[in-house]
Every structure is written in structure tokens, then in C-alpha cells.
């Protein structure tokens, strides 16, 4: 505690460690060092050409993007860079050239830092209070935090007594850090999204594909919640995932998840971050069944594939009739990022008995952006998410060579090992019936159907 107290400073003192031209990294997703970031933004006029890298939690409390957006020419002083966009203001900064995005697999970020291919000068990390030995937990986000700490010139911890203490390879000792700021704020809450009727229909198709004793990976939102309800009758499931969400907690409490039949971290949840309700944060706090690891381990396809019957379930925005899928752009506009989709798609495909599943609604409302990407496949207020070709500018997140199962509310089909004609037929079969005639017509024009 004597060493700890010597390093405690105010947020403004800590922020003064940032120099013009520095590259500053923030811990991934929920661990948001709000006090230091606010102090850094406050002294922006003293700085030039600072790059601020973040993969933020999609929560209104992460408000510095909105603040920077409201300040003319703020990017000359502090420019935001991300590997995964989550917030509207963050997307607007990118789309207007005032921010930027790095195309990167989530699992590759630690390697980029370790190999000095990505520069880091200052690491900002929110952590739990230290234990008796002086170790703080990275809380709800291991991610690439260890690589940040090992490669940064200056390490700043924001200690938060309301930050859950997780166990695993997610610790930092106070001897490793330069400054400590105390800020005991509430964790950002990402509430459960209740499943709609379409989510339940998609979940029913996925349920038929998942065997007992599978190792599962889910994202968050309505579809995963609906899937979780379908899995209540399963036995012996294991979890190897990027993110722990409330659905896992429910399935564990009712006995569907045991983690006894997986290979990597047998008996435990293996994950790299968590996001959800306060109930989830209370449940994972000091929970010996949670094994938090760096993303370079959790998302390594080779590591994932060591587990039996891996089922990876990930969402996409659009897919074309050859199987090219995007999860990250609407037209040329960056909407999210590739995250760990490719990592888990490839890991599941190489797993013994594994299945990589991409899910999407067959059609959506005619939002202006979606309509502009597929104007020939729009009727009334609907636009198809299964299209003949990905429109110009759309980013291919999952190449057609890697796509296996595709699920919509109208069914589930496997494209792996199928020729182009059969792929087109299968995808048209799970498209919105409203658009099936148009898709068949376009497929013939593109010589995908006779």
C-alpha cells in the first residue's frame, strides 16, 4: 500500500504524461478509464497529433467521441482510431475523416504491439483494486491489455472498486505502472435485448444444429438470447468465447453449461471480456469458473479448434449468392469491424464436429443506407439482406471459402464444399419469399443459375 499511495495522482496529473505525437491505447470494451480520458480531452489544445486507440463499449457513458465531434478541428489535437466501431459519434468521426479505423482481426492486436508494428506510447487501463500481493485485475476486459502494458512507455491505471475482479491471465502488478488514478464509477450496463419473433425462429434452426457437449460461442443481442432459451434442454455444453454475456450465466445456473467436455480450460469459461447487466458483473466477480485470457489466446483459431464440436454463432449484415458476407459495413460506410468473426469461423471449421454459423434476418426495413446498397432488391418498405452481388464498396468480412452454415428465419443451409450454382440455390431457399423470384432472375443473369 505504501508503493500504491506513492503512485496515486489526480486525473489531470496523469493526463500530463501524454505528449504531442503520442499513440495512446485504452483497455478494450468495458474497462473505460473515464477520469483520465476526460482530463486528456480537457487539455487537448496543449497537444498536437495524438492518436487515441479504443474499442469502446456501446454505452452512452462512453461520451468522449461525442465531445470530440462537437469540437471543430479536434482531430488536429486528438484523433480517434479504432479496430471496431460501436457508437454513432465514433462512426461519424470516421466517415467525416476526423477519426479512422484499422482493418484488423481482434486476435492480431497483441501481436502488432509486441512486434512493434503498431506503436503505443501510453496505456490507459481501468482495473480492480490491488490484492494483498499488489495485483490488480483487468476487470471485465483482458483483450490486448497485457500487450499494452508490456510495450508502452507510460502505464496509467484507473483503479475502480466497482470493477469486478476476474481471474486468469489478466493481472497487472502495481510495480509495473507509473501512475494510479482512483475513480469509483459504475460499470457500463449493456442490458439484455429481448428476442423478437424472428430471433426465436432463427434460434430454432440453430438449436437443431447444436449437439449436447458442444463448445459454444455467442455474441450479444436478441438472437443470442433467443438461442440461449433454446439451449436450456442441452447437456454438457462448454464455453470458449470472446465475450461473456448474461445468457451464459443463465445456462450455467440451470445446468446446461458444465464446461466438462471441452479441451481448453476444461471446467471453466474461457473468454477475453465480459459485458452485460449488473447481475452478470456480480456473478463473474472473483468467480473461479471464469478464466480470462488475452485475445491472442481466446481467438486463436488453432486454440479454438482444440475444443470438440465448436459451434460459433456470429451475425452478418448481408451475404451475396456466392457466400461472401459482411458484418462490418453498410455500403462503403464503416459500421462495426471484423472483430473475432473470422477467428471463430476458422476455429469452428477446424474443430472435430464443429460448425461455423452466420446469422442474419432475410430482409430488413428500407433504411436509407441499406436501400442504397441493394436498390434492385427492395419492395415496399423491405430490402433483402441476401443479394446477388455485394454492392461496390461493401467490405468482405468473411470470404466465401470460409463460410459454412448460414441461418435466417426461413432456414439453415451449409455452403461448405458446395459449387456456386448450389450455393445460389441454397441461399435463395432461405431468402425472404418476397425476394426469391428477383434473386433467381439476377442469379441467371450472373450465370449462377441455368
Amino acid at each position: 500500500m505504501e508503493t500504491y499511495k506513492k503512485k496515486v495522482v489526480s486525473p489531470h496529473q496523469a493526463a500530463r504524461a501524454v505528449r504531442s505525437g503520442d499513440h495512446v491505447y485504452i483497455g478494450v470494451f468495458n474497462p473505460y478509464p473515464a477520469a483520465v480520458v476526460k482530463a486528456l480531452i480537457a487539455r487537448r489544445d496543449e497537444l498536437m497529433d495524438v492518436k487515441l486507440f479504443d474499442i469502446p463499449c456501446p454505452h452512452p457513458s462512453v461520451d468522449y467521441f461525442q465531445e470530440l465531434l462537437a469540437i471543430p478541428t479536434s482531430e488536429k489535437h486528438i484523433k480517434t482510431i479504432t479496430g471496431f466501431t460501436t457508437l454513432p459519434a465514433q462512426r461519424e468521426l470516421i466517415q467525416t475523416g476526423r477519426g479512422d479505423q484499422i482493418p484488423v482481426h481482434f486476435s492480431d492486436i497483441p501481436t502488432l504491439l509486441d512486434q512493434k508494428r503498431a506503436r503505443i506510447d501510453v496505456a490507459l487501463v481501468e482495473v480492480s483494486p490491488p490484492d494483498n500481493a499488489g495485483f490488480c485485475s483487468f476487470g471485465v476486459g483482458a483483450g490486448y491489455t497485457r500487450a499494452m502494458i508490456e510495450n508502452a512507455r507510460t502505464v496509467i491505471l484507473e483503479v475502480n472498486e466497482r470493477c469486478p475482479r476476474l481471474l486468469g491471465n489478466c493481472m497487472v502488478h502495481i510495480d509495473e505502472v507509473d501512475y494510479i488514478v482512483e475513480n469509483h464509477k459504475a460499470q457500463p450496463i449493456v442490458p439484455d435485448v429481448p428476442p423478437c419473433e424472428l430471433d426465436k425462429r432463427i434460434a430454432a434452426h440453430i438449436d437443431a444444429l447444436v449437439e449436447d457437449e458442444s463448445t459454444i460461442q455467442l455474441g450479444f443481442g436478441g438472437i443470442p438470447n433467443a438461442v440461449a432459451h433454446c439451449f436450456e434442454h442441452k447437456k454438457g455444453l462448454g464455453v470458449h468465447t470472446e465475450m461473456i454475456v448474461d445468457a451464459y450465466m443463465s445456462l450455467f445456473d440451470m445446468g446446461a453449461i458444465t464446461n466438462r467436455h471441452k479441451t481448453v480450460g476444461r471446467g471453466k469459461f474461457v473468454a477475453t471480456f465480459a459485458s452485460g447487466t449488473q447481475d452478470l458483473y456480480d456473478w463473474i466477480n472473483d468467480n473461479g469458473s471464469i478464466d480470462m485470457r488475452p485475445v491472442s489466446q481466446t481467438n486463436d483459431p488453432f486454440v479454438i479448434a482444440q475444443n470438440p464440436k465448436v459451434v460459433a454463432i456470429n451475425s452478418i449484415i448481408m451475404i451475396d449468392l456466392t457466400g461472401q458476407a459482411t458484418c462490418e459495413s453498410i455500403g462503403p460506410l464503416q459500421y462495426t469491424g471484423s472483430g473475432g468473426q473470422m477467428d471463430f469461423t476458422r476455429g469452428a471449421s477446424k474443430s472435430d464436429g464443429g460448425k461455423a454459423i452466420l446469422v442474419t434476418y432475410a430482409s430488413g426495413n428500407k433504411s436509407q443506407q441499406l436501400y442504397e446498397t441493394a436498390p434492385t432488391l427492395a419492395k415496399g418498405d423491405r430490402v433483402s439482406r441476401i443479394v446477388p452481388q455485394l454492392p461496390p464498396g461493401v467490405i468482405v468480412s468473411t470470404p466465401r471459402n470460409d463460410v459454412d452454415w448460414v441461418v435466417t428465419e426461413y432456414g439453415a443451409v451449409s455452403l461448405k464444399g458446395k459449387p456456386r450454382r448450389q450455393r445460389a440455390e441454397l441461399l435463395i431457399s432461405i431468402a425472404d419469399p418476397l425476394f426469391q423470384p428477383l434473386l433467381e432472375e439476377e442469379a441467371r443473369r450472373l450465370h449462377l443459375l441455368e
Side-chain angles (χ1 to χ4, degrees), residues 7-171:
K7 295 186 176 185
V8 173
V9 297
S10 71
H12 295 284
Q13 287 174 301
R16 295 202 68 80
V18 178
R19 310 167 187 167
S20 290
D22 274 355
H23 289 214
V24 181
Y25 275 60
I26 298 175
V28 64
F29 223 68
N30 267 43
Y32 170 46
V36 180
V37 173
K38 184 176 182 179
L40 178 60
I41 302 298
R43 64 176 293 250
R44 64 189 175 277
D45 290 341
E46 305 169 24
L47 300 166
M48 293 297 292
D49 196 31
V50 169
K51 302 294 191 300
L52 187 59
F53 186 93
D54 190 6
I55 296 179
C57 173
H59 190 273
S61 66
V62 186
D63 57 2
Y64 70 89
F65 298 103
Q66 190 66 50
E67 187 174 352
L68 289 173
L69 188 62
I71 301 168
T73 69
S74 62
E75 67 277 9
K76 293 181 180 179
H77 306 280
I78 299 176
K79 187 172 186 176
T80 63
I81 314 288
T82 189
F84 197 98
T85 60
T86 63
L87 294 161
Q90 185 188 24
R91 295 181 184 118
E92 188 171 347
L93 284 167
I94 293 170
Q95 291 164 13
T96 57
R98 300 179 59 193
D100 212 340
Q101 189 261 355
I102 300 174
V104 63
H105 297 305
F106 192 11
S107 61
D108 285 343
I109 298 175
T111 302
L112 292 175
L113 292 171
D114 290 339
Q115 294 180 349
K116 314 301 181 187
R117 300 183 69 179
R119 176 181 157 193
I120 178 171
D121 299 294
V122 181
L124 307 181
V125 187
E126 184 186 72
V127 296
S128 67
D131 60 18
N132 291 335
F135 286 94
C136 302
S137 165
F138 298 153
V140 290
Y144 43 81
T145 306
R146 169 47 57 186
M148 288 167 47
I149 290 167
E150 291 178 353
N151 291 285
R153 177 193 74 232
T154 304
V155 178
I156 301 171
L157 298 187
E158 187 162 303
V159 174
N160 182 358
E161 63 187 14
R162 299 173 73 176
C163 179
R165 179 178 180 80
L166 274 83
L167 307 177
N169 188 0
C170 58
M171 300 286 178

Side-chain angles (χ1 to χ4, degrees), residues 68-310:
L68 289 173
L69 188 62
I71 301 168
T73 69
S74 62
E75 67 277 9
K76 293 181 180 179
H77 306 280
I78 299 176
K79 187 172 186 176
T80 63
I81 314 288
T82 189
F84 197 98
T85 60
T86 63
L87 294 161
Q90 185 188 24
R91 295 181 184 118
E92 188 171 347
L93 284 167
I94 293 170
Q95 291 164 13
T96 57
R98 300 179 59 193
D100 212 340
Q101 189 261 355
I102 300 174
V104 63
H105 297 305
F106 192 11
S107 61
D108 285 343
I109 298 175
T111 302
L112 292 175
L113 292 171
D114 290 339
Q115 294 180 349
K116 314 301 181 187
R117 300 183 69 179
R119 176 181 157 193
I120 178 171
D121 299 294
V122 181
L124 307 181
V125 187
E126 184 186 72
V127 296
S128 67
D131 60 18
N132 291 335
F135 286 94
C136 302
S137 165
F138 298 153
V140 290
Y144 43 81
T145 306
R146 169 47 57 186
M148 288 167 47
I149 290 167
E150 291 178 353
N151 291 285
R153 177 193 74 232
T154 304
V155 178
I156 301 171
L157 298 187
E158 187 162 303
V159 174
N160 182 358
E161 63 187 14
R162 299 173 73 176
C163 179
R165 179 178 180 80
L166 274 83
L167 307 177
N169 188 0
C170 58
M171 300 286 178
V172 57
H173 195 274
I174 57 173
D175 285 344
E176 297 181 85
V177 308
D178 299 287
Y179 301 101
I180 295 171
V181 172
E182 296 180 326
N183 181 30
H184 306 303
K185 65 175 178 64
Q187 290 294 297
I189 300 298
V190 179
D192 270 342
V193 178
C196 67
E197 189 57 39
L198 292 184
D199 295 332
K200 294 175 183 177
R201 288 168 59 184
I202 289 172
H205 295 306
I206 294 173
D207 180 45
L209 301 175
V210 180
E211 305 172 34
D212 290 341
E213 301 180 6
S214 293
T215 303
I216 59 173
Q217 176 251 333
L218 303 173
F220 64 91
I223 292 176
N225 285 341
V227 168
H229 288 300
C230 281
F231 286 175
E232 292 175 2
H233 66 283
K234 302 290 185 186
K235 297 177 182 178
L237 297 178
V239 174
H240 185 111
T241 187
E242 266 185 5
M243 175 172 61
I244 292 181
V245 293
D246 286 75
Y248 292 128
M249 175 177 63
S250 302
L251 289 171
F252 181 78
D253 289 344
M254 64 183 58
I257 291 174
T258 65
N259 290 310
R260 294 174 191 157
H261 301 281
K262 59 201 289 269
T263 303
V264 179
R266 180 168 294 175
K268 297 190 176 186
F269 293 83
V270 173
T272 196
F273 70 96
S275 184
T277 65
Q278 188 59 50
D279 286 342
L280 177 69
Y281 301 145
D282 293 340
W283 181 72
I284 63 178
N285 182 55
D286 211 22
N287 185 336
S289 71
I290 309 293
D291 183 1
M292 278 289 184
R293 301 186 180 189
V295 69
S296 52
Q297 296 178 23
T298 61
N299 288 33
D300 183 334
F302 176 77
V303 174
I304 295 166
Q306 293 176 44
N307 292 300
K309 296 190 286 190
V310 173

Side-chain angles (χ1 to χ4, degrees), residues 209 355-356 403-407 412-418 422-423 426-427 430:
L209 301 175
K355 298 181 181 77
V403 172
D404 186 4
W405 286 90
V406 181
V407 179
V413 296
S414 176
L415 307 186
K416 202 76 169 180
K418 305 293 194 306
Q422 192 174 359
R423 284 171 172 244
L426 289 168
L427 287 167
I430 61 169

Side-chain angles (χ1 to χ4, degrees), residues 318 330 363-385 432 434-435:
M318 185 178 290
I330 297 177
S363 60
N365 291 327
K366 194 198 292 184
S367 69
Q368 185 62 30
Q369 289 174 323
L370 267 178
Y371 175 71
E372 288 175 352
T373 66
T376 61
L377 288 172
K379 285 192 173 184
D381 65 345
R382 308 298 296 169
V383 59
S384 181
R385 292 181 181 268
D432 187 326
L434 181 66
F435 297 105

